[in-house]
Amino acid sequence: GENVEQHPSTLSVQEGDSAVIKCTYSDSASNYFPWYKQELGKRPQLIIDIRSNVGEKKDQRIAVTLNKTAKHFSLHITETQPEDSAVYFCAAIKGSGYALNFGKGTSLLVTP
Amino acid sequence: GAVVSQHPSWVICKSGTSVKIECRSLDFQATTMFWYRQFPKQSLMLMATSNEGSKATYEQGVEKDKFLINHASLTLSTLTVTSAHPEDSSFYICSARDRVTGNTIYFGEGSWLTVV
């Protein structure tokens, strides 16, 4: 099945700096890669996603890049703010059944 | 946007009893719903895929007789934790795929289960 690796597990940055989280996937058939932000005890919130026919997507301070050849995708957050502090999960579609397979998560802390 | 409602949001039950968690898509039809379990400070682990009108597909290591899943309609899936034990205490969360928009997946609010 699909295996999604996510790094780093924890990330601490100063407010205003950029944060980058990287994920790799194993199944070359995966074609949808969403990123979720989860605050403690709450549901994951979709923050950005990318499909396999696109190499990069940007939404204000958030961007995602995809390298299909290398099977890795990354989340970039610029001008970080304390409210960006949360756990971020990458995911990949596990085959045609549309079950998301999640990475282990990255706990991001943005300090003022 | 589309809404997935999950109920109850938290529940405490005695060891050996059963607990049912409901997942409803409020404004769209979901042919497929997914159930995840999340332990503290860990990722979401897929438990099973629930298809409307058919048996659920369970992930390896998930006991289908313990975690009963029913997807009787296009808007409702239920997860019943039978003979619950303290080690079943976890955050259970469902997600649903909108059959019209295709890939978009929406999450329920999650249910905290504590077995005492």
Side-chain angles (χ1 to χ4, degrees):
Chain A
E2 175 67 277
N3 183 38
V4 180
E5 300 279 342
Q6 182 171 349
H7 299 279
S9 57
T10 60
L11 179 60
S12 182
V13 300
Q14 292 271 12
E15 183 178 1
D17 289 347
S18 295
V20 180
I21 303 171
K22 298 181 179 182
C23 287
T24 60
Y25 60 98
S26 60
D27 191 343
S28 56
S30 293
N31 56 12
Y32 176 61
F33 308 92
W35 285 88
Y36 289 88
K37 176 183 180 182
Q38 187 181 30
E39 297 177 353
L40 186 63
K42 296 186 178 181
R43 80 178 97 192
Q45 296 282 354
L46 177 69
I47 56 171
I48 196 167
D49 57 11
I50 192 167
R51 302 187 188 280
S52 59
N53 59 345
V54 177
E56 184 174 357
K57 184 177 178 181
K58 188 174 182 180
D59 183 4
Q60 298 182 0
R61 296 187 297 110
I62 296 172
V64 58
T65 58
L66 171 66
N67 184 326
K68 285 192 297 181
T69 302
K71 288 192 281 190
H72 65 70
F73 55 113
S74 301
L75 176 71
H76 304 253
I77 306 174
T78 58
E79 300 173 35
T80 54
Q81 302 166 0
E83 49 266 39
D84 294 330
S85 298
V87 179
Y88 290 81
F89 292 99
C90 63
I93 290 292
K94 179 183 173 182
S96 59
Y98 296 98
L100 287 169
N101 200 342
F102 287 88
K104 292 189 182 299
T106 296
S107 179
L108 173 64
L109 177 64
V110 181
T111 54
Chain B
V3 176
V4 175
S5 176
Q6 192 171 334
H7 178 82
S9 55
W10 60 271
V11 57
I12 301 173
C13 71
K14 290 185 176 180
S15 185
T17 62
S18 296
V19 173
K20 179 186 286 188
I21 301 170
E22 294 186 347
C23 180
R24 294 181 185 273
S25 55
L26 298 184
D27 52 3
F28 66 97
Q29 292 183 329
T31 52
T32 306
M33 290 185 173
F34 307 95
W35 287 96
Y36 292 85
R37 178 168 54 183
Q38 186 177 34
F39 292 110
K41 296 186 179 181
Q42 294 188 22
S43 189
L44 294 89
M45 299 301 299
L46 180 66
M47 298 176 67
T49 300
S50 170
N51 294 299
E52 185 265 338
S54 63
K55 290 183 178 180
T57 303
Y58 290 82
E59 295 299 297
Q60 190 174 9
V62 179
E63 300 174 59
K64 62 180 182 180
D65 294 330
K66 180 173 182 61
F67 299 99
L68 301 179
I69 292 173
N70 183 279
H71 193 161
S73 77
L74 287 172
T75 60
L76 174 64
S77 176
T78 61
L79 168 67
T80 301
V81 182
T82 63
S83 187
H85 291 284
E87 56 264 32
D88 297 326
S89 299
S90 185
F91 186 58
Y92 292 86
I93 191 164
C94 69
S95 66
R97 179 170 72 90
D98 187 331
R99 69 184 295 200
V100 173
T101 61
N103 290 344
T104 311
I105 295 174
Y106 303 95
F107 281 91
E109 304 99 323
S111 300
W112 285 99
L113 170 64
T114 301
V115 184
V116 298

